[in-house]
Amino acid sequence: MKYYLGLDVGGTNFAAGIIDENYRVIEKTSVPAGAGRSIEEITADMANVSLEVVKKAGLDISDFTSWGIGMPSYVNPRTNLLVHANCFGWKNAPIYSYLERHIPLPIYIENDANCAALGETLAGGAKGYENVLMLTLGTGLGGGIILNKKIYAGADMMGAELGHTKLVYNGAACTCGQHGCAEAYCSATALIRQAKEALEREPESLMVGLCDGDISKLEAKTVFDAMKQGDDTARQVIEQYIDYLSCAISSFVVIFRPEIIILGGGVANAGEILRRPLQERLLVNTYAGSEIGVPDIKIAECGNDAGLIGAAMLEKYGMNRNQK
């Protein structure tokens, strides 16, 4: 049995895991990320939690042929520098030179959303498919594309930033510094903003009561819960959100024609109340949808393990151009 070592790096936690050749997580552990510290301290913890999970599994680092890491950024293949990890405040960070000090294995680094897409393709909702589009509807809008069972990231490994495609010309400000990005309309953060804007017009909405009168506590789940209880303002907010999301996805479908679409992230936890109307709207909004159809939309199945599985399997299914 061959085993694979993966690390999923987030702004809150680092999750390390051992994956077997059947894409099962046989051991995992996590530690707080501790953002705000030096790159030396943070990368040392990335290595330490990975070595810890190897020990917990009763294995030795020599049992592995690579270390796969999912990061909230990209590595520039021309410079081998990590381009921009917002959660740590890193820009053009020499990530490999720090990590190589701790673990003597070839290192594969890939964007975390791409890793999640790969994990869902190998072991989750997209298992059995080779051409997959995945969106993670969380604080931001992550996107991953799998073509022929391989991560697609373009000629310079910087592609598939689906959240930063333009949806509205000169629209709402995005965290990337641009305006009108899909992320500014289709993320959980965007849904919360849209709900708060609606509450300025309709302060009697049930959403206010569900967050104990403090709209600073309003979450994406609050909007869906209010809609389930018959709140008309919440219904209008979600219908508008689904309109935005279906338009963004329709563009991705026209370009890539995936076999299936996977939705992950916190908003996707709404399940069928989101998926079913989104599927219907996608059919209407997509070029030639009525003639050739649109891919089915499914909710992700691997949860937080998707990125971990994908990271561990980068040696086998990644682009392998940013291996160091």
Side-chain angles (χ1 to χ4, degrees):
M1 176 73 73
K2 183 173 181 179
Y3 299 103
Y4 300 85
L5 175 61
L7 177 68
D8 187 19
V9 175
T12 305
N13 294 294
F14 300 153
I18 308 296
I19 315 301
D20 69 15
E21 57 193 17
N22 296 312
Y23 317 123
R24 295 177 300 199
V25 180
I26 65 166
E27 190 64 77
K28 63 180 177 179
T29 191
S30 65
V31 296
R37 299 177 296 150
S38 70
I39 189 170
E40 292 92 342
E41 293 172 303
I42 290 175
T43 50
D45 278 356
M46 290 166 60
N48 288 336
V49 71
S50 299
L51 292 171
E52 180 184 340
V53 81
V54 170
K55 184 177 180 180
K56 283 181 67 176
L59 299 169
D60 185 83
I61 198 67
S62 62
D63 294 320
F64 301 89
T65 54
S66 69
W67 183 24
I69 303 173
M71 290 282 297
S73 184
Y74 290 88
V75 171
N76 184 328
R78 293 183 292 274
T79 64
N80 273 335
L81 299 177
L82 193 72
V83 176
H84 192 183
N86 285 329
C87 52
F88 303 123
W90 296 347
K91 285 188 177 181
N92 292 320
I95 189 72
Y96 287 118
S97 65
Y98 287 101
L99 294 172
E100 289 170 339
R101 300 172 187 176
H102 303 284
I103 292 184
L105 291 174
I107 300 168
Y108 294 81
I109 298 177
E110 182 56 83
N111 176 265
D112 54 357
N114 290 340
C115 289
L118 179 59
E120 284 291 333
T121 300
L122 296 174
K127 188 174 182 179
Y129 296 92
E130 296 194 352
N131 299 283
V132 178
L133 168 69
M134 181 173 180
L135 293 176
T136 53
L137 312 174
T139 303
L141 178 64
I145 299 165
I146 306 297
L147 296 180
N148 300 319
K149 215 170 183 179
K150 289 272 190 176
I151 291 172
Y152 175 78
D156 60 2
M157 299 297 294
M158 296 289 290
E161 273 285 5
L162 302 181
H164 299 293
T165 54
K166 290 293 187 291
L167 186 60
V168 178
Y169 173 71
N170 202 30
C174 183
T175 56
C176 72
Q178 297 285 320
H179 288 77
C181 295
E183 179 171 298
Y185 293 88
C186 303
S187 62
T189 304
L191 177 58
I192 292 167
R193 185 192 75 244
Q194 292 155 10
K196 289 180 178 178
E197 290 170 353
L199 288 177
E200 292 178 3
R201 302 186 299 270
E202 300 290 343
E204 301 304 315
S205 167
L206 181 59
M207 288 185 284
V208 176
L210 290 178
C211 54
D212 298 323
D214 183 357
I215 64 170
S216 68
K217 297 179 180 178
L218 191 143
E219 301 175 345
K221 183 178 182 296
T222 310
V223 190
F224 283 99
D225 287 345
M227 187 182 76
K228 290 175 185 176
Q229 296 181 42
D231 185 77
D232 191 58
T233 303
R235 178 189 58 77
Q236 292 176 40
V237 169
I238 289 177
E239 286 185 354
Q240 175 186 252
Y241 175 81
I242 290 173
D243 279 338
Y244 285 134
L245 184 56
S246 67
C247 284
I249 294 175
S250 70
S251 295
F252 308 146
V253 168
V254 168
I255 296 168
F256 295 106
R257 292 300 307 179
E259 297 170 272
I260 194 166
I261 297 163
I262 302 294
L263 296 182
V267 176
N269 291 333
E272 283 298 292
I273 199 171
L274 169 71
R275 192 206 66 81
R276 186 181 296 110
L278 181 59
Q279 184 81 64
E280 294 169 355
R281 210 75 53 86
L282 182 63
L283 182 65
V284 173
N285 288 337
T286 302
Y287 166 74
S290 59
E291 289 79 19
I292 59 178
V294 294
D296 285 340
I297 298 172
K298 289 184 67 176
I299 304 299
E301 296 179 358
C302 289
N304 293 333
D305 287 343
L308 189 57
I309 295 168
M313 303 307 299
L314 286 175
E315 175 188 358
K316 189 172 182 179
Y317 294 106
M319 293 294 290
N320 293 355
R321 282 185 286 169
N322 57 339
Q323 179 265 326
K324 180 73 173 176

